[in-house]
Every structure is written in structure tokens, then in C-alpha cells.
């Protein structure tokens, strides 16, 4: 992985872990706790792809397993987030397309349900029946609600940071799956990105009005 694909996830995961433990974990909400670590993993996986997504998910889960107050076997959540990071990375749009906010929200919703179910299944395999006593249905529904409500504030920001530090041009995917813009050149917003287009020979040329796009 590139150095930016190591430093940025490390900073985001540490920040998410601090907020998860010191803020979200103390809210004492009914049912599950909002899973900020999961949202960060999903956002990064949707930009970096399955391999990086699985590695980031494993690291995030291992941090969560080791962070106090940890009351489960180490590696349990690492396995869950590793699988979800890989699965979310498979949904990364082709090329430099940007996934729409609605489709990203659907990915989060599926991941929230899957993470709760997988965590309970792994717990059952190692003899942890805590989810059975709390109520698995209530945990799934509350995790889905909390993560979907938190996702619009976290996932787009994480994806934007990942693209910015990765240096990849952005092609926005509209809700109907079509590219937004006025053609191929309108997808590139900076002089450096335009210079990389076929036929420009590596020379930096500014296209009138291009840099003024919002």
C-alpha cells in the first residue's frame, strides 16, 4: 500500500477509536452502540478496494478488540471488520467514479446488519452468548438505526479525504448511475489532472472555465 494509504487510515482509525470509547460508548443508548470504526472502514474500503479494505478492517477490529473495556476474545471483531472491509471494497466503483450518497448509505445499512450478525455468530462459536441474553433482534435494529443516522456525517468525509490524499481524479456517479458533467474533460478539475489526459503529451494546459467549476 502507498504511504498515504497507511498514514491516513491510521490517523482516522485512532481518532474514531477515541471517539468511540470516550463519547459514543458513554451515551448508554438502548440496544447497540453507534459503530464509528465500521463507518471509517466502509468509507476507506469504497475508495481503496478489497485488499486495502480487508487490511484496514482487520487493523480497526484489532484496535477495537484491544481497547478497554474489552470483554470479548481478541480477534473477534478484527475478523468481522476484515470480512466487511473486503466486501465493501468489492463494491468500489470502476476507475475514478464516485459512488453516490444513496448507494453508499445502502452499503452502510447492509454492513451494520452484517457486522452485528457476524459478531454474534463468531461469539456463539467461541461460547459467548451475551447477544442472546440482550436480544439479537434489538441489537440489529438499533445498530442499523444508529449507523445509518451517523453515516452521512462520516462516510462522505472519509471518502473525500481518502481520494484527496490518494491523488485520484473524481468522476461523480449520479443517482441513476450516469456520469455527471459535460463530457470527458469536465471530469478533471485541476490543471495537473487535465495534463494527464490522452493527447496532451504531459503538458500542463488550462482549459477556460474548467478551474471555476464548483
Amino acid at each position: 500500500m502507498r504511504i498515504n494509504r497507511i498514514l491516513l487510515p491510521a490517523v482516522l482509525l485512532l481518532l474514531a477509536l477515541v471517539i468511540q470509547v470516550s463519547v459514543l460508548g458513554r451515551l448508554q443508548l438502548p440496544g447497540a452502540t453507534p459503530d464509528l470504526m465500521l463507518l471509517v472502514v466502509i468509507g476507506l474500503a469504497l475508495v481503496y478496494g478489497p485488499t486495502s479494505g480487508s487490511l484496514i478492517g482487520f487493523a480497526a477490529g484489532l484496535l477495537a478488540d484491544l481497547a478497554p473495556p474489552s470483554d470479548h476474545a481478541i480477534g473477534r471483531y478484527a475478523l468481522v471488520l476484515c470480512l466487511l472491509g473486503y466486501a465493501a471494497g468489492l463494491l468500489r466503483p470502476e476507475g475514478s467514479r464516485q459512488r453516490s450518497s444513496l448507494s453508499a448509505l445502502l452499503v452502510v445499512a447492509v454492513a451494520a446488519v452484517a457486522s452485528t450478525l457476524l459478531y454474534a455468530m463468531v461469539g456463539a462459536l467461541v461460547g459467548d452468548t451475551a447477544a442472546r441474553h440482550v436480544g439479537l433482534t434489538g441489537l440489529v435494529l438499533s445498530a442499523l438505526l444508529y449507523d445509518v443516522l451517523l453515516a452521512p456525517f462520516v462516510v462522505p468525509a472519509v471518502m473525500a479525504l481518502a481520494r484527496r490524499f490518494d491523488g485520484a481524479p473524481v468522476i461523480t456517479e449520479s443517482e441513476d448511475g450516469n456520469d455527471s458533467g459535460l463530457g470527458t474533460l469536465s471530469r478533471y478539475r485541476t490543471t495537473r489532472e487535465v495534463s494527464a489526459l490522452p493527447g496532451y503529451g504531459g503538458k500542463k494546459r488550462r482549459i477556460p472555465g474548467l478551474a471555476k467549476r464548483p
Side-chain angles (χ1 to χ4, degrees):
M1 295 194 335
R2 304 177 190 174
I3 188 66
N4 288 343
R5 292 194 176 189
I6 297 176
L7 292 179
L8 179 63
V11 172
L12 292 178
L13 290 178
L14 288 175
L15 180 60
L17 180 64
V18 171
I19 298 175
Q20 183 82 40
V21 174
S22 61
V23 179
L24 299 179
R26 298 177 182 270
L27 293 179
Q28 296 183 349
L29 297 172
T33 301
D35 197 342
L36 189 59
M37 300 287 282
L38 172 64
L39 299 182
V40 172
V41 169
I42 295 300
L44 292 173
L46 288 174
V47 177
Y48 292 157
T51 302
S52 297
S54 61
L55 294 175
I56 292 170
F58 180 81
L62 191 59
L63 284 175
D65 287 333
L66 295 174
S70 179
D71 58 352
H72 56 267
I74 295 177
R76 179 176 168 185
Y77 202 46
L79 174 61
V80 172
L81 288 188
C82 179
L83 294 175
L84 292 179
Y86 181 82
L90 293 175
L91 300 176
R92 179 184 61 172
E94 296 180 359
S96 298
R97 297 177 185 271
Q98 180 178 356
R99 183 166 291 280
S100 67
S101 57
L102 178 59
S103 59
L105 196 62
L106 291 175
V107 174
V108 170
V110 173
V113 175
S115 65
T116 306
L117 294 176
L118 285 174
Y119 187 79
M121 290 173 59
V122 175
L125 292 177
V126 297
D128 185 355
T129 59
R132 186 182 306 172
H133 298 298
V134 175
L136 184 58
T137 302
L139 287 176
V140 170
L141 293 178
S142 58
L144 174 61
L145 176 62
Y146 299 150
D147 291 347
V148 168
L149 289 177
L150 191 59
F153 303 99
V154 177
V155 176
V158 170
M159 295 175 69
L161 283 173
R163 291 194 186 94
R164 181 178 181 85
F165 282 88
D166 209 36
V170 174
I171 304 174
T172 303
E173 178 185 337
S174 61
E175 300 296 336
D176 57 0
N178 297 323
D179 297 338
S180 63
L182 300 177
T184 303
L185 295 181
S186 66
R187 301 171 183 170
Y188 295 82
R189 303 188 180 192
T190 67
T191 303
R192 183 179 64 180
E193 290 165 353
V194 171
S195 66
L197 287 172
Y200 279 79
K203 298 181 179 180
K204 296 182 178 180
R205 301 183 183 180
R206 185 176 298 278
I207 298 178
L210 193 60
K212 297 181 180 180
R213 280 193 63 197

